[in-house]
Amino acid sequence: MKQKLFYAILIASFAVSAIAHYSGMSSTLQFFLCCIAVIFAAGFMGKATESVAHYAGQRVGGFLNATFGNAAELIIAIFLVKDGLHDMVKASITGSIIGNMLLVLGLSVLFGGLKYKVQNFNVKLAGYNASLMLLSVVALFIPALFAKSFTTKETDTLSLVVAVILILAYVLWLLFSMITHKEELSDTASVHVEDANAHEMNWSKGKSILFLLLATVMVAFISEWLVGTLEEFTHKFGLSELFVGAFLIAIIGNAAEHSAAIFLAMKNKIGAAVEIAIGSSLQIALFVAPVLVLVSYFMGNTMNIVFTTYELAAIGVSAVIAKSISQDGSTSWYEGVLLLVVYVILGIAFFLV
């Protein structure tokens, strides 16, 4: 009954969003309708990804979960790049990174900790994640540091080179964590494949792949409609591109991951929840952001990888607090509170900018 209700809302929200877009309703109404639709479409994508992961096996399944978990954000960002809204793209990247490290991880640790006094996960993986988070901060900090001394062409060249290096680093991380050292990281190397196996797989392999493709197409359409409303929506409510990109778009795009991580933490699978939160942040920084730089280059309008001081500070602060809390391989509910406090403070600061 619950599944039927979910599918009914999914189809209805997509149809209503399409009608609102093509009939020329107000941008504000379109924005809210698209937000609702993309949340359910992202949830549908998450379920389809879990089902495909069940048939693909643990390693490939883990990669699929991580990749399609960020698919909604990537698709939205590509349409923003297409429209030349580079500042909002960078803000959404910032929001995705800090949202996963602070909001998703914070809620997971809080709700998991309220049910279980102390939760433990792989210490070695926590150490590698901490190092990769610092790499992300360094990789984003250096272009901003040298940008003032470079011409626009030199800045674009540096951005493209850094993008390629980060993608290579991410590919090597996948090789390291999924092949050469998979035994050391075996209990948390997959994102939430364990949870997928715990559910009854009602879809066949073919149907799972078909639904995953269908969900991706739905997210693509809704994302394009959503992006088309942003400019008028931000002006109408006096919101900055920084706040809209870093908080509204990031929260909407991460909706499926938020619920999945919290659900796993409450089942005492904090390792999988941490991997969703930290792993997604790392994928955004090391893969999604560089891919967007390359996509913008091929579209003829290169987006540099130079972030503002506010964005760099937010990412840096998030990485430090997340590293501090996760490096010992155990969590308690109060550590979740600490992460959420930092997120709220950043949110207020971004809103007032």
Side-chain angles (χ1 to χ4, degrees):
M1 184 64 185
K2 289 183 179 179
Q3 286 190 355
K4 290 182 179 180
L5 179 60
F6 174 82
Y7 294 138
I9 296 175
L10 171 68
I11 295 170
S13 61
F14 181 81
V16 171
S17 296
I19 292 171
H21 174 74
Y22 291 110
S23 64
M25 293 184 185
S26 71
S27 294
T28 303
L29 181 58
Q30 286 186 51
F31 176 81
F32 286 112
L33 290 174
C34 287
C35 286
I36 295 171
V38 81
I39 288 172
F40 281 96
F44 180 46
M45 180 181 288
K47 179 175 173 57
T49 305
E50 287 188 352
S51 187
V52 172
H54 171 73
Y55 294 104
Q58 184 177 359
R59 297 299 151 193
V60 178
F63 176 72
L64 287 173
N65 272 283
T67 302
F68 282 93
N70 288 320
E73 301 160 82
L74 178 60
I75 293 170
I76 292 173
I78 288 174
F79 282 111
L80 288 171
V81 168
K82 180 184 176 183
D83 287 357
L85 299 173
H86 292 174
D87 289 341
M88 191 172 287
V89 172
K90 294 175 190 176
S92 68
I93 291 170
T94 301
S96 296
I97 294 172
I98 67 175
N100 279 303
M101 284 197 289
L102 299 179
L103 180 62
V104 178
L105 184 59
L107 288 174
S108 300
V109 172
L110 173 61
F111 285 102
L114 289 174
K115 191 171 182 180
Y116 302 94
K117 189 173 182 179
V118 177
Q119 295 183 295
N120 300 302
F121 56 97
N122 193 308
V123 179
K124 289 185 178 180
L125 182 60
Y128 287 123
N129 281 339
S131 298
L132 286 168
M133 282 190 286
L134 293 180
L135 167 64
S136 304
V137 174
V138 170
L140 296 178
F141 176 76
I142 290 177
L145 181 65
F146 286 91
K148 293 182 180 179
S149 303
F150 291 161
T151 63
T152 301
K153 184 177 180 181
E154 290 172 334
T155 302
D156 290 345
T157 300
L158 176 62
S159 298
L160 290 168
V161 171
V162 171
V164 172
I165 292 173
L166 290 180
I167 291 174
L168 177 61
Y170 183 70
V171 171
L172 291 175
W173 165 244
L174 293 179
L175 176 67
F176 177 85
S177 63
M178 295 169 65
I179 298 177
T180 65
H181 287 66
K182 62 180 181 181
E183 291 82 8
E184 294 180 26
L185 311 176
S186 59
D187 61 331
T188 53
S190 65
V191 183
H192 48 283
V193 178
E194 297 175 47
D195 191 63
N197 291 334
H199 288 79
E200 181 183 353
M201 290 295 114
N202 297 319
W203 299 341
S204 66
K205 184 177 180 180
K207 184 181 288 187
S208 300
I209 295 173
L210 176 63
F211 282 175
L212 181 57
L213 294 174
L214 176 62
T216 304
V217 171
M218 291 179 71
V219 169
F221 273 105
I222 299 169
S223 299
E224 184 176 15
W225 303 335
L226 178 64
V227 169
T229 68
L230 286 176
E231 188 172 356
E232 185 175 333
F233 178 81
T234 53
H235 287 312
K236 183 173 182 179
F237 290 92
L239 301 173
S240 66
E241 289 187 354
L242 185 62
F243 177 76
V244 173
F247 284 84
L248 292 185
I249 292 178
I251 290 174
I252 293 165
N254 274 325
E257 291 180 17
H258 293 180
S259 57
I262 296 169
F263 177 74
L264 287 169
M266 293 181 70
K267 292 184 67 176
N268 205 24
K269 294 182 178 180
I270 191 64
V274 169
E275 184 63 11
I276 290 176
I278 303 298
S280 292
S281 290
L282 293 175
Q283 189 180 68
I284 291 290
L286 300 178
F287 183 75
V288 173
V291 163
L292 290 171
V293 173
L294 296 179
V295 167
S296 67
Y297 170 76
F298 289 113
M299 285 183 175
N301 185 18
T302 304
M303 179 187 78
N304 62 51
I305 205 167
V306 178
F307 284 69
T308 67
T309 304
Y310 298 133
E311 291 165 340
L312 290 174
I315 293 172
V317 166
S318 302
V320 169
I321 186 70
K323 176 182 181 296
S324 175
I325 285 174
S326 65
Q327 66 183 358
D328 62 351
S330 65
T331 60
S332 59
W333 68 265
Y334 188 68
E335 290 176 316
V337 172
L338 297 178
L339 291 168
L340 293 172
V341 166
V342 176
Y343 188 74
V344 171
I345 291 173
L346 286 174
I348 295 172
F350 274 51
F351 179 76
L352 296 174
V353 170

Short mmCIF file of all heavy atoms in Angstrom, two decimals, residues 286-313:
data_model
loop_
_atom_site.label_atom_id
_atom_site.label_comp_id
_atom_site.label_asym_id
_atom_site.label_seq_id
_atom_site.Cartn_x
_atom_site.Cartn_y
_atom_site.Cartn_z
N LEU A 286 35.78 15.51 -5.56
CA LEU A 286 36.83 14.90 -6.39
C LEU A 286 36.35 14.46 -7.77
O LEU A 286 37.19 14.21 -8.65
CB LEU A 286 37.42 13.68 -5.66
CG LEU A 286 38.06 13.94 -4.29
CD1 LEU A 286 38.55 12.64 -3.69
CD2 LEU A 286 39.20 14.94 -4.41
N PHE A 287 35.04 14.36 -7.95
CA PHE A 287 34.54 13.88 -9.24
C PHE A 287 33.51 14.81 -9.88
O PHE A 287 33.68 15.26 -11.01
CB PHE A 287 33.96 12.47 -9.09
CG PHE A 287 33.49 11.87 -10.38
CD1 PHE A 287 34.40 11.41 -11.31
CD2 PHE A 287 32.14 11.78 -10.67
CE1 PHE A 287 33.97 10.86 -12.53
CE2 PHE A 287 31.70 11.24 -11.87
CZ PHE A 287 32.62 10.77 -12.80
N VAL A 288 32.43 15.10 -9.14
CA VAL A 288 31.34 15.89 -9.73
C VAL A 288 31.80 17.30 -10.11
O VAL A 288 31.57 17.75 -11.24
CB VAL A 288 30.14 15.96 -8.77
CG1 VAL A 288 29.08 16.92 -9.30
CG2 VAL A 288 29.54 14.57 -8.58
N ALA A 289 32.47 18.00 -9.18
CA ALA A 289 32.94 19.36 -9.48
C ALA A 289 33.91 19.39 -10.66
O ALA A 289 33.75 20.21 -11.58
CB ALA A 289 33.58 19.97 -8.23
N PRO A 290 34.92 18.50 -10.70
CA PRO A 290 35.81 18.47 -11.87
C PRO A 290 35.08 18.14 -13.17
O PRO A 290 35.40 18.72 -14.22
CB PRO A 290 36.80 17.36 -11.51
CG PRO A 290 36.83 17.33 -10.03
CD PRO A 290 35.42 17.61 -9.62
N VAL A 291 34.12 17.22 -13.12
CA VAL A 291 33.35 16.87 -14.32
C VAL A 291 32.59 18.10 -14.84
O VAL A 291 32.53 18.34 -16.05
CB VAL A 291 32.37 15.71 -14.03
CG1 VAL A 291 31.31 15.62 -15.13
CG2 VAL A 291 33.13 14.40 -13.93
N LEU A 292 32.04 18.88 -13.92
CA LEU A 292 31.31 20.09 -14.32
C LEU A 292 32.24 21.10 -14.99
O LEU A 292 31.84 21.80 -15.93
CB LEU A 292 30.62 20.72 -13.11
CG LEU A 292 29.44 19.93 -12.54
CD1 LEU A 292 28.97 20.53 -11.22
CD2 LEU A 292 28.29 19.89 -13.54
N VAL A 293 33.48 21.19 -14.52
CA VAL A 293 34.47 22.07 -15.16
C VAL A 293 34.72 21.61 -16.59
O VAL A 293 34.74 22.42 -17.52
CB VAL A 293 35.79 22.09 -14.36
CG1 VAL A 293 36.87 22.86 -15.13
CG2 VAL A 293 35.57 22.73 -12.99
N LEU A 294 34.89 20.31 -16.78
CA LEU A 294 35.13 19.78 -18.13
C LEU A 294 33.90 19.94 -19.01
O LEU A 294 34.01 20.27 -20.21
CB LEU A 294 35.52 18.29 -18.03
CG LEU A 294 36.84 17.98 -17.29
CD1 LEU A 294 37.09 16.48 -17.27
CD2 LEU A 294 38.01 18.70 -17.95
N VAL A 295 32.72 19.70 -18.45
CA VAL A 295 31.47 19.87 -19.21
C VAL A 295 31.33 21.32 -19.68
O VAL A 295 30.98 21.58 -20.84
CB VAL A 295 30.24 19.48 -18.35
CG1 VAL A 295 28.94 19.96 -19.00
CG2 VAL A 295 30.20 17.97 -18.15
N SER A 296 31.62 22.27 -18.79
CA SER A 296 31.52 23.69 -19.17
C SER A 296 32.52 24.03 -20.28
O SER A 296 32.23 24.85 -21.16
CB SER A 296 31.77 24.57 -17.94
OG SER A 296 33.11 24.47 -17.50
N TYR A 297 33.70 23.41 -20.25
CA TYR A 297 34.72 23.64 -21.29
C TYR A 297 34.18 23.19 -22.65
O TYR A 297 34.31 23.91 -23.66
CB TYR A 297 36.00 22.90 -20.94
CG TYR A 297 37.02 22.87 -22.05
CD1 TYR A 297 37.79 23.99 -22.36
CD2 TYR A 297 37.21 21.70 -22.81
CE1 TYR A 297 38.72 23.96 -23.40
CE2 TYR A 297 38.14 21.67 -23.84
CZ TYR A 297 38.89 22.80 -24.13
OH TYR A 297 39.80 22.77 -25.16
N PHE A 298 33.59 22.01 -22.69
CA PHE A 298 33.06 21.49 -23.96
C PHE A 298 31.82 22.25 -24.41
O PHE A 298 31.46 22.19 -25.59
CB PHE A 298 32.77 19.99 -23.84
CG PHE A 298 34.02 19.14 -23.77
CD1 PHE A 298 34.33 18.46 -22.61
CD2 PHE A 298 34.88 19.07 -24.85
CE1 PHE A 298 35.49 17.69 -22.53
CE2 PHE A 298 36.03 18.30 -24.79
CZ PHE A 298 36.35 17.61 -23.63
N MET A 299 31.16 22.94 -23.48
CA MET A 299 30.01 23.78 -23.85
C MET A 299 30.47 25.14 -24.36
O MET A 299 29.65 25.95 -24.80
CB MET A 299 29.08 23.97 -22.64
CG MET A 299 28.24 22.76 -22.31
SD MET A 299 27.10 23.09 -20.91
CE MET A 299 26.16 21.55 -20.87
N GLY A 300 31.79 25.40 -24.28
CA GLY A 300 32.33 26.64 -24.82
C GLY A 300 32.41 27.80 -23.84
O GLY A 300 32.72 28.93 -24.23
N ASN A 301 32.10 27.54 -22.57
CA ASN A 301 32.15 28.61 -21.56
C ASN A 301 32.70 28.02 -20.27
O ASN A 301 31.96 27.65 -19.37
CB ASN A 301 30.75 29.19 -21.35
CG ASN A 301 30.76 30.37 -20.39
OD1 ASN A 301 31.82 30.98 -20.14
ND2 ASN A 301 29.61 30.69 -19.84
N THR A 302 34.04 27.92 -20.19
CA THR A 302 34.69 27.21 -19.09
C THR A 302 34.38 27.83 -17.74
O THR A 302 34.54 29.04 -17.54
CB THR A 302 36.22 27.20 -19.28
OG1 THR A 302 36.53 26.62 -20.54
CG2 THR A 302 36.90 26.40 -18.17
N MET A 303 33.92 26.99 -16.82
CA MET A 303 33.71 27.41 -15.43
C MET A 303 35.00 27.13 -14.67
O MET A 303 35.45 25.99 -14.60
CB MET A 303 32.56 26.62 -14.81
CG MET A 303 32.29 26.97 -13.35
SD MET A 303 31.04 25.90 -12.57
CE MET A 303 32.03 24.43 -12.26
N ASN A 304 35.59 28.17 -14.11
CA ASN A 304 36.82 27.94 -13.35
C ASN A 304 36.49 27.29 -12.01
O ASN A 304 35.32 27.22 -11.60
CB ASN A 304 37.62 29.23 -13.15
CG ASN A 304 36.86 30.28 -12.36
OD1 ASN A 304 36.34 30.01 -11.28
ND2 ASN A 304 36.78 31.49 -12.89
N ILE A 305 37.52 26.81 -11.34
CA ILE A 305 37.34 26.10 -10.08
C ILE A 305 37.72 27.00 -8.90
O ILE A 305 38.07 26.52 -7.82
CB ILE A 305 38.14 24.79 -10.09
CG1 ILE A 305 37.54 23.75 -9.14
CG2 ILE A 305 39.63 25.04 -9.82
CD1 ILE A 305 38.08 22.35 -9.32
N VAL A 306 37.63 28.32 -9.14
CA VAL A 306 37.96 29.30 -8.11
C VAL A 306 36.71 29.59 -7.27
O VAL A 306 35.75 30.19 -7.76
CB VAL A 306 38.48 30.61 -8.74
CG1 VAL A 306 38.77 31.64 -7.65
CG2 VAL A 306 39.73 30.34 -9.55
N PHE A 307 36.72 29.18 -6.03
CA PHE A 307 35.61 29.39 -5.12
C PHE A 307 35.83 30.65 -4.29
O PHE A 307 36.96 31.10 -4.11
CB PHE A 307 35.45 28.18 -4.19
CG PHE A 307 34.83 26.98 -4.85
CD1 PHE A 307 35.52 26.28 -5.83
CD2 PHE A 307 33.56 26.56 -4.50
CE1 PHE A 307 34.95 25.17 -6.45
CE2 PHE A 307 32.98 25.46 -5.11
CZ PHE A 307 33.68 24.76 -6.08
N THR A 308 34.73 31.22 -3.79
CA THR A 308 34.83 32.44 -2.98
C THR A 308 35.40 32.12 -1.60
O THR A 308 35.44 30.96 -1.18
CB THR A 308 33.45 33.10 -2.80
OG1 THR A 308 32.61 32.24 -2.00
CG2 THR A 308 32.78 33.35 -4.14
N THR A 309 35.80 33.18 -0.89
CA THR A 309 36.33 33.00 0.46
C THR A 309 35.29 32.37 1.38
O THR A 309 35.61 31.51 2.20
CB THR A 309 36.76 34.36 1.05
OG1 THR A 309 37.70 34.97 0.17
CG2 THR A 309 37.38 34.19 2.42
N TYR A 310 34.02 32.79 1.23
CA TYR A 310 32.94 32.23 2.05
C TYR A 310 32.81 30.72 1.82
O TYR A 310 32.67 29.94 2.77
CB TYR A 310 31.61 32.90 1.73
CG TYR A 310 31.56 34.39 2.00
CD1 TYR A 310 31.05 35.27 1.06
CD2 TYR A 310 32.02 34.90 3.21
CE1 TYR A 310 30.99 36.64 1.31
CE2 TYR A 310 31.98 36.26 3.47
CZ TYR A 310 31.47 37.13 2.52
OH TYR A 310 31.42 38.48 2.77
N GLU A 311 32.83 30.33 0.54
CA GLU A 311 32.65 28.92 0.20
C GLU A 311 33.82 28.07 0.71
O GLU A 311 33.63 26.99 1.27
CB GLU A 311 32.51 28.78 -1.32
CG GLU A 311 31.20 29.36 -1.84
CD GLU A 311 31.20 29.56 -3.34
OE1 GLU A 311 32.29 29.61 -3.96
OE2 GLU A 311 30.09 29.69 -3.93
N LEU A 312 35.04 28.59 0.52
CA LEU A 312 36.22 27.86 0.98
C LEU A 312 36.23 27.72 2.51
O LEU A 312 36.58 26.67 3.05
CB LEU A 312 37.50 28.58 0.52
CG LEU A 312 37.79 28.52 -0.98
CD1 LEU A 312 38.98 29.39 -1.32
CD2 LEU A 312 38.05 27.08 -1.43
N ALA A 313 35.82 28.80 3.18
CA ALA A 313 35.77 28.75 4.65
C ALA A 313 34.76 27.72 5.12
O ALA A 313 35.02 26.94 6.05
CB ALA A 313 35.41 30.13 5.20
#
